[in-house]
Amino acid sequence: MTSVDPKNDLRGGASAAPGAARRWRAFALLAVAYFMTAVDLLIVNVALPTIGVELHFAESDLQWVVTAYAITFGGFLLLGGRAADLLGRRRMFVTGLAVFTAASLACALATSGTFLIVMRGIQGLGAAAVLPAALSIVMNMFPEGTERNKALGIWGAVGASGATFGVLAGGALTRYGGWPYIFYLNVAVGGAAVLLTRRVVPESRLPAARRRYDLLGAITVTGALVLAVYAISQAPAVGWTAARTLAQLTAAAALAAAFVVIEARAQAPLLPLRLFRLKTLAGSNAVGFLLGASFYGYIFIGTLYMQQVLGYSPMTTGLAWLIVGLTGVVLAGPAQLLVTRTSVRLVMAAGMTLTGAGVLWATQAPVQGSFWANLAGPFFLTGTVTWVFIPVSIGALVGVTERDAGVASGLIDSSQQLGGAIGIAVASTVTATRSRSLLSHGHAGVDALTGGFHQALWVCGLIALTAVPVAFLLIRRTDVAQVSATRQGKTPARR
């Protein structure tokens, strides 16, 4: 059983109105923290051109303002989840918030590109403690069944809207206050959340005679990711077949293989491989990875296209992306109903199909494009990404026991964030490679840049569509039945 502070025990019966009210109050605070970390992945997007000019960034290095956060965020989520289980979920939540908030202040005060990138990495480290702790607290507050699915449905909608709201907020703050204010916002929200957490959120942890942490596993998986992303991002400049690129990719593969070996043998693995026996969990994480790679890459490229080709201001760009977020919010309720009445994998597949179609539609946007003629349609269609975030959040936690709540929460968040980091790196690389090729063949600069963006969007769209067969192959009918049983309040069989 979970050790819970009696003064903060929110797991009252469903009929206990005060207990339910306290649970949802705690959930609201946790959701705000999640929203803040989701926003922060892309809030800098519309400010990148301004940051590049003021801090003298090379064009090829701008992506690192985004990927430095995504790499440490995704790379340490599993360790953060395990630490939350062992040290206390609320304790890790508060610690992560404090680190995230302090690093945000440092980002706002940055006067060099290198310092900003380093602080963005530390921001990601703080977020890696916040997010799995928050989601595992949610799992332990709400028993399996309708109420937990409702909470996870809202949680998925928060994640889906966070990215697009980040673009809007980044545009408004950059326009009216300057790019440092995108980080000052975190300081205000994070500081308030730290002060409120102890009064609102319950503490819980797993009883353990001895606490073990898989630091070697964390080092190898994060090292593999950093090397892979760096190799991909630098390949256009040094060459895909250059010895340096091949050596980095080989080293990344070796570290990834070492991570699997370490996890198979460790007494307290960072990622217990037995979790992948839960096919719904495995399938949801695979779809989550492809979702992050396609959707975050799409937002990254789309934002640059609007500013560098169409000449949109940061504020106008942010307002344009608001359509995606609002569409996602409107579709969140229907998504939850569809999951209940059909199945997790059907809603996932439908969401990824529509999202992928929207991204591919955006490849038709020309150099002299306009919002209503060329962008509004793809934006409305990609707003259906909510239909992926919600079933992925539910499916990734079905059948997970209490002892693995933190690591399972970290795993699904890690899948999406690592997918985002790699997707942005790939999209940036494809754009640079294609644009240089077109320039060398005599195309004008803006035409070459648009051609690069188009090819990157093709890649993002095809990645999204790849998730459709993955969902059907990895999530079996028996697992879908287990999800349905959980929704109806029955206790699913543990494996």
Side-chain angles (χ1 to χ4, degrees):
M1 296 293 292
T2 303
S3 174
V4 180
D5 183 349
K7 296 180 180 180
N8 292 299
D9 183 8
L10 303 188
R11 296 193 64 179
S15 62
R22 293 179 66 193
R23 284 198 298 273
W24 285 106
R25 187 164 60 244
F27 176 84
L29 178 61
L30 297 168
V32 166
Y34 173 38
F35 187 75
M36 182 173 64
T37 60
V39 163
D40 216 65
L41 179 65
L42 291 173
I43 194 172
V44 299
N45 260 37
V46 294
L48 284 180
T50 304
I51 292 173
V53 171
E54 294 190 11
L55 298 185
H56 309 291
F57 265 99
E59 182 73 21
S60 60
D61 291 336
L62 277 178
Q63 65 147 319
W64 285 101
V65 181
V66 179
T67 54
Y69 177 82
I71 287 172
T72 53
F73 191 1
F76 285 96
L77 273 166
L78 294 175
L79 184 61
R82 180 53 72 195
D85 286 339
L86 297 178
L87 289 176
R89 291 159 184 142
R90 185 180 66 187
R91 178 184 297 177
M92 287 302 299
F93 178 75
V94 172
T95 300
L97 270 179
V99 171
F100 181 88
T101 303
S104 296
L105 179 60
C107 286
L109 300 174
T111 56
S112 72
T114 300
F115 182 77
L116 177 62
I117 289 173
V118 171
M119 289 301 105
R120 284 285 286 168
I122 295 176
Q123 263 192 310
L125 193 63
V130 169
L131 196 48
L135 188 51
S136 59
I137 291 171
V138 170
M139 276 194 66
N140 282 278
M141 285 195 303
F142 297 99
E144 281 188 312
T146 303
E147 195 174 22
R148 180 188 289 183
N149 284 336
K150 180 181 178 181
L152 292 178
I154 297 171
W155 194 265
V158 166
S161 61
T164 49
F165 179 83
V167 180
L168 171 63
L173 292 170
T174 301
R175 169 67 177 83
Y176 295 109
W179 67 264
Y181 282 86
I182 63 181
F183 299 110
Y184 285 133
L185 176 65
N186 292 337
V187 176
V189 176
V194 168
L195 294 176
L196 290 172
T197 297
R198 187 167 182 82
R199 298 177 58 185
V200 175
V201 177
E203 178 63 287
S204 65
R205 66 169 60 86
L206 291 177
R210 181 180 178 185
R211 295 170 182 165
R212 299 184 178 92
Y213 303 95
D214 185 13
L215 291 176
L216 189 57
I219 291 170
T220 51
V221 71
T222 305
L225 177 68
V226 171
L227 275 173
V229 172
Y230 185 77
I232 292 169
S233 64
Q234 297 300 307
V238 301
W240 282 98
T241 58
R244 170 179 157 183
T245 302
L246 295 176
Q248 290 169 345
L249 291 174
T250 301
L255 284 172
F259 173 71
V260 173
V261 172
I262 290 168
E263 299 312 283
R265 298 181 178 181
Q267 288 186 335
L270 182 66
L271 176 58
L273 300 182
R274 56 182 163 72
L275 284 177
F276 292 102
R277 296 173 188 164
L278 297 168
K279 298 301 182 182
T280 300
L281 178 147
S284 296
N285 276 276
V287 172
F289 178 86
L290 296 170
L291 166 65
S294 58
F295 188 61
Y296 291 134
Y298 163 63
I299 294 179
F300 180 81
I301 293 299
T303 299
L304 293 180
Y305 164 76
M306 284 189 279
Q307 292 189 78
Q308 296 181 353
V309 176
L310 301 184
Y312 284 12
S313 68
M315 183 63 187
T316 303
T317 302
L319 287 172
W321 281 106
L322 184 60
I323 287 182
V324 180
L326 290 177
T327 303
V329 170
V330 170
L331 293 177
Q336 187 180 346
L337 290 175
L338 283 171
V339 169
T340 301
R341 295 178 181 178
T342 59
S343 72
V344 163
R345 68 176 181 178
L346 283 177
V347 180
M348 276 185 199
M352 289 307 302
T353 299
L354 293 171
T355 300
V359 176
L360 293 179
W361 188 358
T363 63
Q364 305 304 306
V367 173
Q368 300 296 332
S370 67
F371 176 74
W372 290 110
N374 306 110
L375 296 178
F379 281 5
F380 279 117
L381 201 53
T382 52
T384 56
V385 73
T386 303
W387 288 12
V388 190
F389 274 103
I390 288 175
V392 159
S393 298
I394 294 173
L397 297 175
V398 166
V400 175
T401 59
E402 185 180 330
R403 64 172 175 161
D404 294 321
V407 70
S409 302
L411 179 59
I412 184 56
D413 294 322
S414 182
S415 296
Q416 294 176 20
Q417 299 303 326
L418 297 187
I422 292 176
I424 289 171
V426 169
S428 179
T429 298
V430 169
T431 298
T433 302
R434 178 61 175 167
S435 296
R436 287 175 184 172
S437 175
L438 292 174
L439 281 172
S440 68
H441 287 83
H443 289 262
V446 69
D447 292 323
L449 187 59
T450 302
F453 289 150
H454 284 171
Q455 192 161 74
L457 289 173
W458 271 104
V459 171
C460 291
L462 293 175
I463 290 173
L465 295 180
T466 301
V468 177
V470 168
F472 281 104
L473 288 172
L474 294 184
I475 301 179
R476 301 176 307 188
R477 290 182 182 276
T478 53
D479 298 307
V480 174
Q482 181 188 34
V483 178
S484 299
T486 300
R487 282 191 231 107
Q488 296 166 8
K490 300 174 185 178
T491 303
R494 300 292 187 193
R495 294 182 227 173

